[in-house]
Amino acid sequence: MKKKMLRRFLMVALLLGALTCVLSTGALAADIVKSGSTGISLKWTLDSDGVLTFQGEGEIGPHGYGYSIAPWYSDRADIKSVIVPDGVTSIGASAFADCTALSNVSIADSVTNIGADVFSGCTSLTTISIPDSVNKIGDGVFKDCTGLNNVVIPASVTSIG
């Protein structure tokens, strides 16, 4: 009888522990603070942790300097991380310019072109790795990136502005 009670107590304790883990994990998820679309079939979200994430296919941008301003530009000081997924083919001019808190960038292997001034003024960016798929990097991509100390540019890049 005591064994059965002990087993039930342990089972309830395990279930409560598992439920607590599930609920706390959900509570830690960042909220979407803004979202929209850019290009024909590309969507973006900015969450409360400062992560700007793209979904879909096509080109990001171009923005600024004679183009429309990036829809996330008003929140540029809050952007800490950018995730460019598979399906994105190009990052257009000034897409992430002046994102002063940007410190982490993930670029998928589907990207072949990084336009002019894409990371210009991203003063918190310290390191970036350009994927092997990229063959063209535009003018001023890292202009005024005062914290940048490590850039990995693959041999596939045939043109740097």
Side-chain angles (χ1 to χ4, degrees), residues 46-126:
L46 177 62
D47 70 24
S48 57
D49 288 338
V51 179
L52 179 62
T53 305
F54 294 87
Q55 293 178 328
E57 297 179 351
E59 178 181 297
I60 298 171
H63 300 289
Y65 307 121
Y67 301 102
S68 64
I69 293 173
W72 50 87
Y73 189 76
S74 62
D75 298 294
R76 66 191 177 280
D78 300 324
I79 297 172
K80 298 175 184 171
S81 184
V82 171
I83 300 172
V84 179
D86 194 39
V88 174
T89 56
S90 179
I91 303 173
S94 302
F96 311 118
D98 301 321
C99 291
T100 55
L102 182 61
S103 61
N104 185 38
V105 178
S106 173
I107 303 172
D109 287 333
S110 58
V111 174
T112 60
N113 180 47
I114 297 176
D117 300 308
V118 167
F119 300 108
S120 175
C122 294
T123 56
S124 295
L125 191 61
T126 59

Side-chain angles (χ1 to χ4, degrees), residues 13-38:
L14 284 171
L15 287 173
L16 285 174
L19 182 60
T20 301
C21 286
V22 168
L23 291 176
S24 68
T25 302
L28 294 176
D31 296 325
I32 302 298
V33 294
K34 270 195 177 171
S35 64
S37 60
T38 183

Side-chain angles (χ1 to χ4, degrees), residues 118-161:
V118 167
F119 300 108
S120 175
C122 294
T123 56
S124 295
L125 191 61
T126 59
T127 185
I128 189 166
S129 183
I130 307 295
D132 290 336
S133 57
V134 173
N135 54 43
K136 184 178 180 187
I137 297 175
D139 290 339
V141 170
F142 303 113
K143 180 176 69 181
D144 297 327
C145 291
T146 55
L148 193 60
N149 58 36
N150 186 29
V151 179
V152 178
I153 299 175
S156 60
V157 174
T158 58
S159 173
I160 299 178

